[in-house]
Each structure stands twice: as C-alpha cells, then as structure tokens.
Amino acid sequence: GLNFDDPRSKLFFTFVDILKHYKPKYFLLENVRMKKEFQAVITGCLGVEPIEINSALVSAQSRKRLYWTNIPGITQPDDKGILLKDILDLNDKSVDITKRFYKKRDGTLAFLNSRRSLRRPFQKSKCLTAAGQNIANTGATNIYLSKTNIRQLSCLECERLQTVPDNFTAHVSNTQRYKMLGNGWTVDVIAHIFRGLK
C-alpha cells in the first residue's frame, strides 16, 4: 500500500539497475494492479507497457496481475474453464472451521469478511495471498463450502490454484507453503508468456 515509499520497492530499482548493466535480451516483471501513476513509473523505467492477465483463464483462481516484458507477441491465454471443483482434493481433511465461521457476530467486520471469503465449488477461488490462510483473524482468503462443512483450502489445493505440481512445496511447513504459494506466480501464466521466447 505504500508503493514507492515502501522499503521493499528498492528491489524494483535494483531490477532496473541490473537490466541497464547486463542488458539481457528478454526480461519479465510481474506486479499487482496499482494506480495508473505508479504503473506509469514502472512503464517509464522499463520502456514497455504492461499486459494484464488474470490467472482465472488458466486456473481456478482469480488473480489479476500486470506483466511488463519485452518478450514479443504476448496475448491473453485461452480460457481453460477451470473451476474450484476441478482442483479440490475430496479426500482432504483440512481444518474444519464450521463452528468458528458461524460464531462470528452478525454485523461485525469479521462476519462480513467471512461471508465474502466463502467459495462454492462452481466458482473461482479468490486470489491467494501470503497471509490468506490466517483463519484466526477475519477469515481465510480461501474458504471452501463442502456439502457438510466449511474448511480452508489445503496446501495441495493452493498448489493447484497456482498450477504448481502436486506436493511441489511439501518440503517445508504448511505455514511456509501457504506463504510461498501466495507470493508466487501462476506457473501456467508464465509458461504462456515464455512461449514468445525464441
């Protein structure tokens, strides 16, 4: 939310310095959608306009991102029509939060956020975030309504939302898996962009 006042923004300017120094044939930068004024700064530094791609075209997750690249011929991916029901692990016994979900008082922010977070199997998942599974607060980003209960999405299901191979992140704790997947790219979007490489 701090944009270029955020200390982490220094990484972007380091990226620009690396491009100027090494002059790679191709580059790719991804970021969340932002105000046009901040988008213009990045565009000015990189010399290319971004293309917005929603991961919903290639996965069961709605994740709109901007991609700045000089890879030629980037278009929108074909819509694969994948929904939440297509990536669910029906054998999963993830954290059942039914009781906790319904304990939230009507009219409170926690109540409203919980209801907004709820996803049914014929929908797209909300965008994964690094803090998205913090169900102790106002409700996880990804809550799935099954036939009998309400539960958070598992790490395996989040991998599928990011089109990462099953159990690719299984070498670390679940907390770290959720963070990595929330911070990562949707693999099939990147693969689509890389098809323009010669």
Side-chain angles (χ1 to χ4, degrees):
L2 297 173
N3 296 298
F4 292 111
D5 293 327
D6 189 323
R8 291 173 295 181
S9 291
K10 291 179 183 175
L11 186 58
F12 166 69
F13 294 108
T14 300
F15 177 77
V16 172
D17 288 343
I18 290 169
L19 291 182
K20 287 178 180 175
H21 181 79
Y22 289 102
K23 298 178 176 54
K25 185 170 183 180
Y26 299 112
F27 66 83
L28 173 64
L29 177 80
E30 175 262 6
N31 211 329
V32 298
R33 292 191 305 169
M34 62 192 73
K35 290 182 178 178
K36 292 291 184 188
E37 62 199 80
F38 301 118
Q39 185 176 313
V41 171
I42 296 174
T43 297
C45 289
L46 298 180
V48 294
E49 291 287 335
I51 181 171
E52 182 178 309
I53 299 177
N54 190 341
S55 296
L57 294 170
V58 297
S59 75
Q61 173 191 195
S62 181
R63 186 183 189 90
K64 295 177 181 177
R65 292 293 185 266
L66 297 173
Y67 298 89
W68 286 264
T69 184
N70 62 347
I71 298 171
I74 306 302
T75 59
Q76 292 294 317
D78 292 334
D79 189 347
K80 295 182 178 179
I82 303 169
L83 299 174
L84 193 51
K85 67 180 177 62
D86 300 318
I87 62 93
L88 291 174
D89 177 6
L90 299 179
N91 297 315
D92 182 73
K93 303 296 181 203
S94 219
V95 179
D96 184 331
I97 59 171
T98 308
K99 288 180 184 173
R100 197 179 325 180
F101 189 87
Y102 285 113
K103 274 184 181 176
K104 298 182 188 308
R105 290 198 327 263
D106 194 354
T108 65
L109 181 60
F111 177 88
L112 293 172
N113 284 344
S114 293
R115 268 81 188 148
R116 287 185 194 123
S117 297
L118 194 58
R119 284 292 178 263
R120 296 177 187 274
F122 51 84
Q123 296 176 316
K124 295 281 188 180
S125 166
K126 288 177 74 174
C127 182
L128 294 178
T129 66
Q133 296 306 121
N134 184 6
I135 59 175
N137 266 329
T138 57
T141 301
N142 296 288
I143 300 174
Y144 164 59
L145 175 64
S146 72
K147 289 181 181 177
T148 57
N149 70 339
I150 298 167
R151 68 167 176 85
Q152 71 185 67
L153 293 177
S154 68
C155 293
L156 177 68
E157 291 163 336
C158 290
E159 286 174 332
R160 292 173 180 174
L161 290 177
Q162 285 286 58
T163 64
V164 172
D166 284 4
N167 295 308
F168 188 77
T169 62
H171 60 285
V172 296
S173 70
N174 283 355
T175 300
Q176 292 305 313
R177 291 176 78 180
Y178 284 127
K179 284 183 180 179
M180 287 192 307
L181 292 162
N183 279 328
W185 284 343
T186 306
V187 174
D188 284 5
V189 171
I190 303 306
H192 172 78
I193 292 171
F194 281 0
R195 287 191 186 103
L197 291 170
K198 299 189 187 306

